[in-house]
Amino acid sequence: MFLLRRQNQNQPENGSSNNDAKIYEQLAELKAAIGPLSGRRLKYCTDACLKRYLEARNWNVDKAKKMLEESFKWRSTYKPEEIRWAEVAHEGETGKVSRANFHDRLGRTVLIMRPGMQNTASEENNIKHLVYLLENAVLNLSEGQEQMSWLIDFSGFSFSTKLSIKTARDIIHILQNHYPERLGIAFLYNPPRIFQAFFKAVKYFLDPKTAQKVKFVYPNNKDSVELMKSLFDMDNLPSEFGGKATLEYDHEEFSRLMTEDDVKTAKFWGLVDEKPFATKNGHSGAEVAPEPVASIVS
């Protein structure tokens, strides 16, 4: 996606103007098609959001409208904006998915995933934990940025980690259908050979645009190394991904940060009746607001 945008920047000004005019025309058509909005739907459907749905459906207004309506139904039942860290903290005790304390060179939020650190067998809770972190990643995007990066470390990965094809399929469905164009790039770092068969099965559920964003990278491959350097500051990048930093996951500190972000989430969505939970070692405690802590996000 970022490559496409760079190419568009090199187009003649009149071509760019014509393209912008067409985008705004389709955006207006989509707004008219979905009709008046209120409440959370109005908050959700920013111009940037509607453009992402249009882009995900190749700028077909009818298909984008259908996709958006499905997301309305999903969000009204699943209520991802209401999930709080205290509900999913036990899933994150090993640091199997966490938000990095750095952005990539394009200002995208970075999620670090370590499937080898899988600690539970509940597919439902694993997905809920990831959805929570997707919402949190969006909350922490740099200004003007719409996408995130995924760094996936396969250290310790085996099929005994309980990562099922069904769970992967459900995650792909949620990501592609309800978080369109949110994934900028996903790095599968040094995956073992046994993962290749798993990925072949999972790839069946990926649409071509998403599949192109998945990159297999290897520490001894020159092109892989250059790709990582082009998108990350090596001083910030953990050594597990070829960088110079140390990857440390402190569950208690991360829980404090997520609890703090829960307050921002509630404020953003206008959920004034929120009762923030203090956490100790990631588990819910007394219903009192936590002491403010410094954010580790750069």
Side-chain angles (χ1 to χ4, degrees):
M1 186 54 55
F2 60 91
L3 294 176
L4 179 59
R5 288 177 178 172
R6 288 176 182 174
Q7 290 170 356
N8 287 342
Q9 291 173 358
N10 293 328
Q11 293 177 350
E13 289 187 8
N14 59 344
S16 178
S17 297
N18 292 338
N19 188 49
D20 288 345
K22 187 174 182 180
I23 289 174
Y24 284 117
E25 180 181 339
Q26 290 170 311
L27 184 59
E29 287 183 24
L30 181 56
K31 287 180 178 180
I34 60 178
L37 300 172
S38 60
R40 297 185 195 181
R41 291 187 179 184
L42 179 61
K43 189 77 173 176
Y44 181 71
C45 290
T46 62
D47 283 359
C49 173
L50 297 180
K51 287 178 183 176
R52 288 188 289 103
Y53 277 83
L54 282 165
E55 186 170 357
R57 289 297 177 261
N58 295 314
W59 302 94
N60 182 299
V61 175
D62 290 337
K63 290 182 178 180
K65 175 178 179 288
K66 182 179 179 181
M67 184 185 190
L68 188 58
E69 288 174 342
E70 289 299 317
S71 287
F72 285 162
K73 292 178 183 178
W74 178 76
R75 294 188 72 90
S76 67
T77 55
Y78 202 87
K79 301 184 186 301
E81 71 277 9
E82 293 185 16
I83 303 172
R84 295 296 174 259
W85 179 248
E87 302 172 49
V88 297
H90 63 285
E91 290 288 337
E93 288 178 349
T94 59
K96 64 186 177 188
V97 185
S98 62
R99 194 183 87 238
N101 63 350
F102 58 88
H103 291 76
D104 69 12
R105 293 190 188 276
L106 297 180
R108 296 182 291 205
T109 304
V110 177
L111 287 184
I112 294 177
M113 303 180 181
R114 296 188 284 177
M117 305 294 286
Q118 181 60 261
N119 61 323
T120 69
S122 171
E123 294 181 355
E124 180 181 352
N125 289 336
N126 268 288
I127 293 173
K128 188 175 184 180
H129 176 237
L130 179 59
V131 167
Y132 171 86
L133 286 166
L134 288 175
E135 291 284 315
N136 183 266
V138 171
L139 180 72
N140 286 281
L141 285 170
S142 300
E143 184 176 356
Q145 181 55 259
E146 289 287 304
Q147 298 183 317
M148 66 188 78
S149 295
W150 289 6
L151 289 173
I152 306 174
D153 170 29
F154 283 89
S155 299
F157 174 84
S158 71
F159 285 124
S160 63
T161 57
K162 303 180 181 67
L163 181 64
S164 71
I165 290 178
K166 180 183 181 302
T167 301
R169 182 195 64 194
D170 291 345
I171 289 171
I172 289 169
H173 176 82
I174 290 172
L175 179 68
Q176 291 184 159
N177 292 281
H178 306 310
Y179 294 89
E181 298 301 316
R182 283 300 193 189
L183 179 63
I185 194 165
F187 292 100
L188 280 59
Y189 196 83
N190 203 25
R193 288 185 177 182
I194 59 172
F195 179 77
Q196 294 178 9
F198 178 85
F199 185 75
K200 284 181 179 179
V202 168
K203 192 176 180 180
Y204 175 81
F205 304 106
L206 291 173
D207 66 44
K209 290 180 67 176
T210 302
Q212 290 178 0
K213 298 175 182 180
V214 178
K215 308 296 182 183
F216 282 72
V217 292
Y218 300 92
N220 296 323
N221 181 280
K222 182 179 179 181
D223 291 339
S224 292
V225 173
E226 290 303 315
L227 180 60
M228 298 299 287
K229 286 182 178 179
S230 71
L231 286 174
F232 295 96
D233 182 339
M234 292 293 106
D235 289 334
N236 292 331
L237 191 68
S239 58
E240 285 80 357
F241 303 99
K244 300 177 181 179
T246 301
L247 178 57
E248 295 180 352
Y249 178 75
D250 183 327
H251 187 58
E252 184 170 356
E253 179 62 22
F254 192 74
S255 294
R256 288 179 180 274
L257 178 62
M258 294 299 99
T259 304
E260 188 177 81
D261 276 358
D262 283 349
V263 176
K264 292 193 295 183
T265 297
K267 184 179 295 185
F268 177 84
W269 291 104
L271 303 175
V272 295
D273 58 340
E274 283 291 303
K275 295 180 180 180
F277 283 78
T279 60
K280 182 176 181 180
N281 296 325
H283 297 288
S284 58
E287 294 187 12
V288 294
E291 291 294 325
V293 296
S295 173
I296 62 172
V297 178
S298 57

